[in-house]
Amino acid sequence: MGGFFITGTDTEIGKTMITAVLTKYYLDRGADIFPYKPVQSGAEWEGDKLTAPDTVFYERFAGREFGTETNTYLFKIPSSPHLAAALEGVKVESQPIVDQTEKLLNSHEHLLVEGAGGLIVPLNEEETMIDLIDRLSLPVILVARAGLGTINHTVLSVMALKQRNIKIAGIVLNQVTPDELPEIEEDNRKMLEKLSDVPVIGTFPYIKGQEFEKLDVGEILENWNINILEEAMQHESRKAY
Ligand SMILES: Nc1ncnc2c1ncn2[C@@H]1O[C@H](COP(=O)(O)OP(=O)(O)OP(=O)(O)O)[C@@H](O)[C@H]1O
Ligand SMILES: [Mg+2]
């Protein structure tokens, strides 16, 4: 049915965190939502099975397993997909990802597709992440840092998406670092909405001690404009975007 592509202004910005948070939020409300990480670099061996750290995080966070359909490409080397693939003698193709996305959209109520890195990360020699997003026709949730330095990266990412006519559902601000000045974060939020003309869905707080499993996601998301996502999800056809 409905889905979102979770991209970010950078690598390590909190895409996995926000994908896990939204997955748990909707699962707790009885919805059938599936987190899909098509290309994972930095995969790790667990026994005789190569596992995706981002998927392991979703599962740990949501307290459930998502089975074998969570990834299409797994690479050992923690680098850009095109390089990780090349070093393993493989080429990442967008078609199997498009096919898997369609399959998952048909078998789940909601789908979250997490990108790798930011928008202009190469998937292969010809395509970058933004080309894949374009092919998938899913509205985007853009994860950005809440604090200092976010305006430039976030507005540039929005400009790139708008240039391609890709629908942006909204921005999620993530407190990736502790002790940012609240004045800066408040101003960032205001300036981002003004400069990008894209709504901020909400801010996710910095979590000390990484006690992610104990979080009350419902309480944190109480202040979010979650209706922005609900409205985007209710669109009957992705072509509407
Ligand atoms: N709000 C937060 N509070 C505390 N730690 C956080 C927060 N958000 C993210 N982190 C930590 O920052 C690191 C990067 O986050 P995350 O893995 O979600 O980034 P990513 O954008 O998915 O990275 P990648 O590009 O590798 O997929 C992780 O160790 C995560 O636990
Ligand atoms: Mg990730």
Side-chain angles (χ1 to χ4, degrees), residues 36 97-105 111 113 136 138:
Y36 172 44
I97 301 172
V98 172
D99 294 344
Q100 179 68 354
T101 300
E102 291 304 324
K103 187 173 171 226
L104 291 169
L105 279 167
L111 179 68
V113 183
L136 296 178
L138 291 173

Side-chain angles (χ1 to χ4, degrees), residues 10-215:
D10 206 343
T11 187
E12 296 283 295
I13 204 73
K15 296 182 299 296
T16 300
M17 176 66 84
I18 300 306
T19 304
V21 163
L22 290 173
T23 300
K24 180 156 170 50
Y25 180 82
Y26 282 103
L27 284 176
D28 285 352
R29 271 148 197 80
D32 167 28
I33 186 163
F34 190 87
Y36 172 44
K37 172 83 182 183
V39 188
Q40 174 86 67
S41 318
E44 287 154 11
W45 286 108
E46 260 181 34
D48 59 356
K49 196 170 147 249
L50 203 52
T51 59
D54 288 10
T55 304
V56 169
F57 189 86
Y58 310 146
E59 293 186 337
R60 215 185 87 195
F61 196 97
R64 79 159 73 176
E65 293 190 359
F66 295 103
T68 55
E69 295 196 301
T70 48
N71 315 100
T72 299
Y73 293 98
L74 290 173
F75 301 114
K76 276 285 298 163
I77 297 147
S79 72
S80 167
H82 79 295
L83 180 63
L87 292 171
E88 294 183 26
V90 181
K91 183 183 175 192
V92 176
E93 305 273 2
S94 51
Q95 191 58 46
I97 301 172
V98 172
D99 294 344
Q100 179 68 354
T101 300
E102 291 304 324
K103 187 173 171 226
L104 291 169
L105 279 167
N106 287 326
S107 52
H108 296 278
E109 207 178 334
H110 306 301
L111 179 68
L112 299 175
V113 183
E114 183 188 334
L119 291 171
I120 319 294
V121 163
L123 210 54
N124 50 46
E125 294 292 323
E126 295 86 32
E127 297 166 294
T128 66
M129 204 51 68
I130 199 167
D131 297 313
L132 176 67
I133 300 174
D134 208 357
R135 283 203 68 188
L136 296 178
S137 317
L138 291 173
V140 161
I141 295 173
L142 177 62
V143 180
R145 88 180 69 250
L148 193 63
T150 199
I151 296 177
N152 181 57
H153 287 68
T154 310
V155 178
L156 282 172
S157 297
V158 168
M159 285 166 80
L161 289 162
K162 284 192 174 174
Q163 194 187 38
R164 299 285 289 262
N165 284 323
I166 295 169
K167 168 81 182 177
I168 312 163
I171 298 165
V172 171
L173 294 173
N174 184 28
Q175 292 181 334
V176 230
T177 44
D179 308 325
E180 289 275 354
L181 280 177
E183 291 84 349
I184 294 183
E185 290 192 354
E186 260 169 53
D187 185 68
N188 280 345
R189 188 180 172 130
K190 207 176 71 198
M191 289 309 287
L192 279 176
E193 288 194 323
K194 188 172 144 78
L195 291 171
S196 70
D197 200 24
V198 172
V200 171
I201 298 165
T203 299
F204 190 75
Y206 181 78
I207 308 298
K208 286 192 192 77
Q210 312 228 327
E211 290 185 333
F212 303 124
E213 294 96 333
K214 294 182 193 153
L215 287 184

